[in-house]
Amino acid sequence: MLRATKDLLGEVGYQRLTFEGIARRAGVSKATIYRWWPNKAALVIEALSGEVPLPPIHETGDLEADLRTAVRLTIELVSAMPTCLILPALLADVIEDPTGTGAFAELIEPRRTSVVKLLERARLEGRLPPDTDTSLMVDVYSGTVVYLAAVNRIPPGEAVVGQLVSLLLHGHLPVPKGPAPAEREESPGA
Amino acid sequence: MLRATKDLLGEVGYQRLTFEGIARRAGVSKATIYRWWPNKAALVIEALSGEVPLPPIHETGDLEADLRTAVRLTIELVSAMPTCLILPALLADVIEDPTGTGAFAELIEPRRTSVVKLLERARLEGRLPPDTDTSLMVDVYSGTVVYLAAVNRIPPGEAVVGQLVSLLLHGHLPVPKGPAPAEREESPGA
């Protein structure tokens, strides 16, 4: 089912993907799919990430390294989506369907909670300013990654990981150094 | 036409909005609409913002005030969208249609360029670190605003303006002080 979903996604895109099509490709009934996945978004997230809900991140205790991992995992999730095209459609879908949104929030919850928790621990131990909004930190890197992937149609690369971590931990958003200028992401946004 | 578009948006949502429906409501032919707007996204942006392309921001020379204005204008654009639901759908739409994407980039270009320009001036005058990635600064606040609006289904408030400006200019992302805790945005993101 997950294989059929992934294949069809690549062929027809998210908006034209249907449970009917997946059932036909996988040789099962639509009812079988509905038994396991409440909606298209949940099925697609599992097909792309391999895991639903997304597992918490593995914490090392090194704040900078852990935050890099968190940003990288968000980029990986976005990168798993064929040609980066489906994320906004998927978001739109779960937003139009209230049940879908709940499911989406549940899917990302363990991952998100684990990152906020490690940032909170850093805050309480004085490795972040005491009044830091750790929840908004997660929204800043998630939002920027999703936005760049959607607008540029290509997920941001490793340079952006470093830039976002530098901004969030050191308040410095430098232009990335090397490798070649071609490696540098264009960022035409709203 | 803009009035009919706005009304229908509120009634049926972006995904079910069609040129046929707008033409019927406005009492004109579909061809008339196509003469002026290349696609649904362009028509909707003009209906919501009142202006296409979005005008450049009015610069005062006070970096902090100007950046606040830029963030606020992004929030305003997002807020003009009925119940905040349509932005991801609109993005998905312009992304699926290559011509649409070009049009979208053109629509936001003057606004975006004006903000990057004022940040570049600040950088060259030493009001920002010399290696600052001013283009990514715009993506960070745009991405965060769009993401928060999409995930929370309510546009971020004035507190978030202050937080993002503080992060981008001072590297500090504090929890907003007062007014009431109810005013504070929840931020459940990915």
Side-chain angles (χ1 to χ4, degrees):
Chain A
M1 205 88 69
L2 298 177
R3 183 75 255 165
T5 303
K6 222 169 164 176
D7 290 347
L8 273 174
L9 251 183
E11 293 166 25
V12 305
Y14 180 82
Q15 283 182 319
R16 275 181 295 273
L17 186 73
T18 60
F19 269 27
E20 282 83 354
I22 297 165
R24 210 175 313 123
R25 177 69 61 101
V28 301
S29 74
K30 252 176 68 178
T32 305
I33 307 183
Y34 275 113
R35 201 173 307 141
W36 298 99
W37 293 276
N39 52 48
K40 193 164 79 166
L43 175 53
V44 165
I45 290 174
E46 179 158 353
L48 294 178
S49 71
E51 281 175 283
V52 163
L54 299 176
I57 83 163
H58 178 73
E59 192 179 341
T60 69
D62 175 342
L63 175 60
E64 186 140 353
D66 289 344
L67 191 54
R68 273 179 179 273
T69 303
V71 179
R72 252 184 229 124
L73 285 171
T74 304
I75 293 179
E76 258 172 39
L77 183 64
V78 169
S79 304
M81 303 184 179
T83 57
C84 259
L85 298 190
I86 71 153
L87 197 80
L90 192 146
L91 257 183
D93 214 44
V94 295
I95 283 169
E96 288 234 329
D97 164 26
T99 342
T101 310
F104 184 68
E106 270 167 45
L107 297 175
I108 61 169
E109 188 55 29
R111 167 77 46 82
R112 181 185 165 82
T113 304
S114 69
V115 179
V116 172
K117 229 185 240 170
L118 82 84
L119 293 174
E120 274 298 294
R121 206 168 305 128
R123 186 179 72 77
L124 293 169
E125 291 169 7
R127 287 178 288 143
L128 284 172
D131 59 349
T132 300
D133 191 334
T134 51
S135 174
L136 190 57
M137 282 178 78
V138 178
D139 295 323
V140 166
Y141 76 71
S142 303
T144 306
V145 164
V146 169
Y147 183 83
L148 285 174
V151 173
N152 296 342
R153 299 167 173 227
I154 183 172
E158 184 64 20
V160 170
V161 175
Q163 288 180 291
L164 288 174
V165 170
S166 167
L167 175 66
L168 291 168
L169 295 189
H170 312 300
H172 187 204
L173 189 65
V175 171
K177 290 201 187 68
E183 281 271 341
R184 172 126 161 61
E185 284 86 15
E186 282 301 311
S187 353
Chain B
M1 206 85 72
L2 297 177
R3 181 76 256 164
T5 303
K6 224 170 164 173
D7 290 347
L8 273 174
L9 250 184
E11 293 166 27
V12 306
Y14 180 81
Q15 283 182 317
R16 277 180 294 273
L17 186 74
T18 60
F19 269 25
E20 282 85 352
I22 297 165
R24 212 175 311 125
R25 176 69 61 101
V28 300
S29 74
K30 254 177 67 178
T32 305
I33 307 184
Y34 275 113
R35 201 170 309 140
W36 298 99
W37 293 277
N39 53 47
K40 192 164 79 166
L43 175 52
V44 164
I45 290 175
E46 178 157 356
L48 293 178
S49 71
E51 280 174 285
V52 162
L54 299 177
I57 83 164
H58 177 73
E59 191 178 341
T60 68
D62 175 343
L63 175 61
E64 185 140 354
D66 289 344
L67 191 54
R68 273 179 180 275
T69 303
V71 178
R72 253 185 229 122
L73 285 171
T74 304
I75 293 181
E76 257 171 41
L77 183 65
V78 169
S79 305
M81 304 186 178
T83 58
C84 260
L85 299 189
I86 73 154
L87 196 80
L90 192 146
L91 256 183
D93 215 44
V94 295
I95 283 170
E96 287 235 329
D97 163 26
T99 340
T101 311
F104 183 68
E106 270 166 46
L107 297 175
I108 61 169
E109 189 53 29
R111 167 77 46 85
R112 182 186 166 81
T113 304
S114 69
V115 179
V116 172
K117 229 184 242 169
L118 82 84
L119 293 173
E120 274 298 294
R121 207 168 304 128
R123 186 179 71 77
L124 293 170
E125 291 169 8
R127 288 177 287 141
L128 283 172
D131 58 349
T132 300
D133 190 335
T134 51
S135 174
L136 190 57
M137 281 179 78
V138 178
D139 295 323
V140 166
Y141 76 71
S142 302
T144 306
V145 164
V146 168
Y147 184 81
L148 285 174
V151 173
N152 296 342
R153 299 168 174 228
I154 184 173
E158 184 64 21
V160 170
V161 176
Q163 289 180 291
L164 289 174
V165 170
S166 167
L167 174 67
L168 290 169
L169 294 189
H170 311 300
H172 188 205
L173 189 64
V175 171
K177 288 198 188 69
E183 281 272 342
R184 167 119 167 64
E185 286 85 16
E186 282 300 314
S187 353

